[in-house]
Amino acid sequence: PYNPPTASPAATMAAPAPGNLPGENYHQDYGVNPIEDTWSDHLSTFALDVDTASYTLTKRYVDEGGLPPIDAVRAEEFINAFDAGYAAPEDVAFSLYADGAPNPFNESGTYLLRFGVQGYNVSKWERRPLNLTFVIDVSGSMSMENRLEMVKDSLRLLVDQLDERDTVAVVVYGSEAHAVLEPTNGASPDRITNAIKRLRTEGSTNAEAGLRLGYRYAMEMYDPNANNRVILCSDGVANTGETSVDGLLEYIGGYVEEGISLVTYGFGMGNYNDVLLEQLADRGDGSYAYIDDMDEARRLFVEELTASLQVIAYDAKVQVDFNSDVVSNYRLIGYENREVADQDFRDDSVDAGEIGAGMSATALYEVELV
């Protein structure tokens, strides 16, 4: 079987790319899953992941005439960026799928196994009310490439999908954080979009202040019968206040227990922090996506709004039990930063992945048969 390279997790900064592609983007090297012998470890356990940012971000590198650094590629996010065609269940929460075929990338006789999980659909008429607090980065770096304008155009698409069931507040942060829109009913889209339209870039980047104020509003608006979300729109830069990933993660953890999830949307290229946005969404029991153009914004905020914002499963984990009489060894492709200890599979207190209504997740394994 193929012996993949291994590497220790480390934060890395991509070198400037050729052509017009800005460089200095921050990514994390999570290594590559090793090959496991079934006689010593026949269980493979991991947290589900429905993020797609890695695929869209990498596509941006290629569209701009460059190649992505290896650290930008998270295999599971490539796989989950495409519709696998799984049929949605009608009377249960999830459908499970499994199939396999000879591995076309390896001549040694290994096979690829695919395991799919498909969640049930919820129509936009049946979805729960949305209590959304937009936390928007308006620091100086958001003036590059018209990043803030892309944020504003994207959020207007989202606002157009809201109605009288929903409530929106808008917080912005540069050097400091302040509210630009108090909680407003979704039946007043003009008032919401006018507040967004007036946004201008200012100051440095105090992400901590923005998140603190955003969560304060989210707590004030909290409704146990609604989808309570903080939506962070940023290039991931944090250079004022608490700037470490660990510090910010520790802060948002308490709000997750209160029932408020964090969804992160990334914008821009060059001085872009993929690490911060991916890990914030992971710890915040939300999802992470990268928006490179209005087509992607339309997919997230119009076509898949309910899937993006209505969670149907928290802390979802998968465990595959390989029969050592049939399978000699296996390797999970991707999910390197989603590993869960085998003994924690049934422990609901262990943080894992979240799945939105109608979403699917796929895991690929390379296996060698006995």
Side-chain angles (χ1 to χ4, degrees):
Y2 166 65
N3 291 303
T6 59
S8 300
T12 62
M13 183 175 71
N20 297 320
L21 185 68
E24 297 186 353
N25 300 303
Y26 291 82
H27 301 287
Q28 184 89 8
D29 180 2
Y30 295 106
V32 177
N33 285 325
I35 294 171
E36 302 284 357
D37 290 320
T38 53
W39 60 267
S40 61
D41 183 4
H42 59 93
L43 295 176
S44 173
T45 311
F46 60 94
L48 281 179
D49 182 11
V50 295
D51 295 347
T52 60
S54 175
Y55 172 76
T56 313
L57 181 58
T58 299
K59 182 166 69 70
R60 173 75 185 275
Y61 274 100
V62 176
D63 287 342
E64 297 284 349
L67 286 176
I70 235 175
D71 306 345
V73 179
R74 293 183 288 275
E76 73 277 9
E77 295 186 27
F78 271 59
I79 296 165
N80 289 325
F82 296 91
D83 182 3
Y86 305 134
E90 296 182 359
D91 55 358
V92 292
F94 294 97
S95 295
L96 302 178
Y97 294 88
D99 56 12
N103 184 357
F105 306 107
N106 195 317
E107 297 179 357
S108 63
T110 60
Y111 289 78
L112 289 183
L113 296 184
R114 177 176 66 166
F115 296 97
V117 177
Q118 174 67 54
Y120 66 89
N121 287 319
V122 175
S123 73
K124 65 179 181 179
W125 313 114
E126 297 173 316
R127 68 166 172 80
R128 300 168 74 186
L130 299 173
N131 284 349
L132 307 179
T133 304
F134 298 152
V135 177
I136 304 173
D137 182 354
V138 295
S139 63
S141 64
M142 292 296 288
S143 64
M144 298 168 56
E145 310 171 283
N146 289 321
R147 295 176 190 177
L148 183 57
E149 294 306 310
M150 176 71 78
V151 171
K152 291 155 69 171
D153 290 343
S154 299
L155 290 182
R156 281 196 286 265
L157 291 177
L158 190 159
V159 171
D160 287 343
Q161 309 305 308
L162 304 181
D163 56 37
E164 67 278 356
R165 297 172 292 176
D166 310 316
T167 306
V168 172
V170 180
V171 167
V172 299
Y173 66 91
S175 299
E176 304 291 338
H178 60 275
V180 297
L181 181 71
E182 295 295 318
T184 300
N185 190 272
S188 303
D190 290 343
R191 183 180 173 193
I192 301 171
T193 55
N194 284 337
I196 295 171
K197 189 184 301 182
R198 293 193 297 268
L199 299 182
R200 299 290 182 271
T201 56
E202 56 182 65
S204 56
T205 314
N206 195 335
E208 178 194 13
L211 287 171
R212 285 185 180 275
L213 185 57
Y215 274 110
R216 196 190 84 190
Y217 272 90
M219 286 298 296
E220 291 177 2
M221 295 160 52
Y222 181 80
D223 178 354
N225 297 313
N227 293 304
N228 301 279
R229 300 283 179 272
V230 171
I231 297 180
L232 175 63
C233 298
S234 174
D235 55 15
V237 175
N239 55 28
T240 304
E242 177 60 70
T243 60
S244 73
V245 172
D246 289 342
L248 291 171
L249 292 180
E250 183 178 356
Y251 172 72
I252 68 174
Y255 288 100
V256 171
E257 297 176 3
E258 298 289 341
I260 299 173
S261 298
L262 176 64
V263 179
T264 61
Y265 294 109
F267 295 82
M269 178 70 77
N271 201 28
Y272 179 78
N273 195 331
D274 173 58
V275 180
L276 179 63
L277 294 176
E278 195 261 347
Q279 294 190 8
L280 283 175
D282 184 15
R283 180 65 177 272
D285 273 5
S287 58
Y288 165 42
Y290 178 80
I291 298 177
D292 59 338
D293 56 30
M294 290 308 296
D295 287 339
E296 182 67 7
R298 193 168 293 105
R299 181 182 74 83
L300 293 168
F301 294 146
V302 178
E303 299 168 12
E304 299 180 4
L305 178 64
T306 301
S308 300
L309 298 180
Q310 176 147 332
V311 176
I312 62 173
Y314 287 98
D315 297 323
K317 310 177 190 74
V318 166
Q319 186 171 82
V320 179
D321 187 350
F322 288 99
N323 183 346
S324 59
D325 292 336
V326 179
V327 176
S328 172
N329 57 62
Y330 63 88
R331 178 173 70 92
L332 175 60
I333 299 174
Y335 293 95
E336 279 84 3
N337 64 335
R338 301 283 177 159
E339 183 180 4
V340 174
D342 293 338
Q343 64 269 22
D344 291 337
F345 175 55
R346 299 186 186 278
D347 185 346
D348 291 338
S349 67
V350 174
D351 185 44
E354 285 64 46
I355 298 181
M359 281 189 170
S360 66
T362 298
L364 292 182
Y365 284 87
E366 180 185 22
V367 303
E368 183 176 21
L369 303 183
V370 172

